[in-house]
Amino acid sequence: MIGDHTPVPTLAVKDLGRAREFYEGVLGLTPGRDMPGGVAYNAGSSGLFVYESEYAGTNKATAMMMEVPADAFDTQISDLRSKGVSFETYDMPDTQWDDGVATMNMGDDSFRSVWFQDPDGNILNLGTGMG
């Protein structure tokens, strides 16, 4: 069944060299293997594939979510800020924003997230408690 397989997000970029600088240098992802027109990255128990495409940056919705443990969230956010990453805010119901960080309360649970873009405009999300 399809549900038994691990999904791999696939992100289009305009310039693979510039994308590698961002995904490896800023996000700290480990490259797996080079593939024709792209590179596979190891990330957690899965990974992602970044490839060159003329359609890079045309998706205006979140392209990839990454989950981080709640106790590591603030450190990850500080690290991204120190590397020049700017966080975006959106009009979302039941969400409080503080310096680009969203807090969503769901009953007894609370989740924190940030959204930011890669150099080609792909919208990425880093958050707690998604799984």
Side-chain angles (χ1 to χ4, degrees), residues 1-130:
M1 296 296 301
I2 297 290
D4 295 335
H5 302 286
T6 303
V8 176
T10 304
L11 301 174
V13 299
K14 292 177 185 148
D15 180 323
L16 191 57
R18 182 177 68 174
R20 289 188 78 135
E21 289 175 12
F22 178 79
Y23 285 95
E24 294 167 29
V26 175
L27 297 186
L29 295 178
T30 303
R33 61 182 165 163
D34 288 335
M35 300 177 75
V39 61
Y41 286 97
N42 302 314
S45 61
S46 182
L48 69 135
F49 180 63
V50 175
Y51 72 103
E52 286 187 344
S53 170
E54 66 182 283
Y55 301 107
T58 60
N59 179 8
K60 300 304 174 198
T62 302
M64 183 175 66
M65 295 170 51
M66 298 165 281
E67 186 171 14
V68 63
D71 62 354
F73 184 78
D74 290 330
T75 301
Q76 293 289 312
I77 298 311
S78 293
D79 184 54
L80 289 171
R81 284 187 202 278
S82 74
K83 293 177 179 175
V85 173
S86 297
F87 301 127
E88 301 184 348
T89 59
Y90 301 101
D91 185 16
M92 298 169 52
D94 303 317
T95 303
Q96 292 77 45
W97 294 92
D98 181 23
D99 197 22
V101 177
T103 301
M104 294 152 277
N105 295 309
M106 311 275 192
D108 292 338
D109 293 322
S110 146
F111 307 99
R112 296 173 68 208
S113 286
V114 293
W115 283 263
F116 56 96
Q117 293 187 21
D118 76 359
D120 291 295
N122 291 306
I123 300 171
L124 310 177
N125 169 260
L126 183 71
T128 64
M130 291 181 268

